[in-house]
Amino acid sequence: MELVNIYRNMSRSREFELAVAELWEQGLITGEMHASTGEELVAAAVTACLTAEDSLSLTHRCSSFVVARGVPLVPVIKELLGREDGLCHGRGGHMHLFSRDYRIATSGIVGASLPTGAGFALAAKRLRPHALAVAQIGDGALNQGMALETLNLATVWKLPLLVVCIDNGWAITTSSESLTAGSLPERARSFGWLVGNADGADIEDVSQAAKALVKNVRAGKGPAFLYARCPRMDGHYLGDALVRLARHPVSDGRDTLTKVVGGAFSQGGSGLISRATGLTRMMGAIGKIRHTPAHGDDKDPLVITRKRLSKQGYDVAKIDLEAQEEIRCAVAVSLGEEHD
Amino acid sequence: MIELSLGQAIDRAIENAMSEDESIVLIGEDVPMLRAPLYARFGVERVMGAPISESAFIGAAVGAAMEGLRPIVELYMVDFLAVAFDAVLNHMAKLEAFSGGEWHCPVLIRAPSGGGYGDGGQHAQSLWGMLSAIPGLTTIIPSTPMDAYGLTRTALRHSGPVILFEPKLLSEEWLEFLGRLGREDLEFDVPENASGMVNEDEFAPFGRAVTRREGGDVTILSLAVGVHRALAAAEALASDNIQCEVIDLRCLSPLDRESIRRSVAKTGRMVVVDEDYRNYGLSGELAATVLEAGLHPTFVRVCVEGTIPYNHRLEKDTLPSVKRIIEAVKEICQS
Ligand SMILES: Cc1ncc(C[n+]2csc(CCOP(=O)(O)OP(=O)(O)O)c2C)c(N)n1
Ligand SMILES: [Mg+2]
């Protein structure tokens, strides 16, 4: 039952992201819309362990957490549309979603989710015994000073903080491993944190890890760190040029490539070897994107989970249909369209 | 002469400077990809991708500059400079004064700025007012590709730290990267003539404003996108027989106070158009500049009040618009 509920939220999140992508494509959502496709399982499994007293400090890639937390979707969608009756009256937008009722805050400043989360945890410790705070963070963001500082702060203050680090391998166009020393779970471990290391496509793995860590944090044993690897299925944001370049090299790529090749062969500048390294790195990034699971293929965490639960006899198709219907209605209501 | 966008003009200035000066290195998140042509041309030793660690890499740029390199640090947006404010406020800006002029800190920070594409209030600020308040920093804010090129070239020969604000709305590359993202029919309120001709031999001096339009009734002081809005407003006002003088400040520190005073002395009316926050900033400084010279013009300012909203229409109303400028000008012409 528990796993099914997690799957239900995965499915809802995925449908939500697909609907958002459509609205974005139509130009109804402005700016950088960061889809969380590929991360749905982690968000669903973590929020499944939370109570209404717990709070969440989220990043720019927050949709799955917001959906799984159960925030009413119409105000959320209206916020993305910039409506006056949106969650934040159209003032915040997709990177700045706030809900007092659901104890959710987000930030577009990379790394900032950790200090805010530590503050949530501090308030919980003083005001709501047994409550905890979750702070979501990306792999790239764990190189931010304030994030690293928070690892120490939360330790010495013994805060009820669960950091959920989603490693999608990327920070915009940079492959994270190229600029991250050591290992992220080891960083947390070196501060004495309890660390869970999970495969973001494995529902049992993620759910067990989340439960164990939350139990520990709730018991007052100090902060914990859930590290989960997930694919970044829709690029850094909707419309990501690198994804377009990787998927449609001819139509979208020619311009970029001409510029690069032009740069590589112009006069002056570095030696040939150095220049060749530059080109090779770029091609490497594009290659990496080509190997990222696409929607609906065998490595899509949603597909993996669907198959697994279906084998266990659950009616996942029904759950998917319900999710589709829910999101379709929410979008229609948000757009002010008639709904049957 | 070549036709370039404002962003391309900065790229070109950097490329030309890097080919002349081996001590220049380019540092920033994603620069191997964002500046792929430079990366391909100058290689990994000079175009260095940085982790998301602004306080560390801007701090490191200061140290590197002290010991002989000339770092260019790219930020995704000036809003994120907040994360590394110490390096700017307490180190790069202070070094020359602290060392009695013995030590210099030639760092150029390239910081895209401003809104207009619906990204929300952490990604739309201008902040040149507060940054220009810091002694020891030079701040340049081009509104044309030629100035972008010329000011960047000057910055890369300058002995001290410079912050270059790159108005995102004037750089089609940034608009594409942050706002359009392949959605070809999406419209932004981009000023006409955002692209322009660039003469690669021309440098632009610091501390010199440019008069973009002459007129005897009202002085409009502006910079960046505001200059384009002001010119459009001036054009419309001319048909009402109000002649506006539009001055593009280009550089806030040092500020060309003389040109400001000269124009305001002539018109007796002063309008400031500023995409930055109204309070405690540029517009107040400009008022002080004329008061200190004994001038007492009628004064009105069109600036940003409050946090910039996500909603695209509200954002447009918050940023100085042609409509608001026209209203402001008419207001002081009546009083
Ligand atoms: C302080 C700061 N620096 C830079 C950025 C620009 N930026 C937005 S998202 C991002 C990458 C974040 O990577 P990661 O933490 O791995 O999260 P992901 O996007 O992969 O979910 C960057 C550099 C920012 N928003 N804030
Ligand atoms: Mg990442």
Side-chain angles (χ1 to χ4, degrees), chain B residues 155-167:
Chain B
L156 290 172
R157 301 251 174 107
H158 185 62
S159 62
V162 180
I163 302 181
L164 162 63
F165 295 81
E166 179 182 2

Side-chain angles (χ1 to χ4, degrees), chain B residues 1 9 19 22 28-29 36 52 70 74 82 130 149 160 163 178 190 192 215 219 237 253 258 289 298-299 304:
Chain B
M1 298 278 268
S19 70
E22 286 272 324
E29 288 150 27
I52 312 171
R70 181 183 276 282
E74 282 212 27
M130 65 181 268
Y149 179 87
I163 302 181
L178 300 166
V190 178
E192 273 176 54
T219 299
L237 286 158
S253 182
E258 196 36 51
T289 297
T298 43
F299 174 78
V304 170

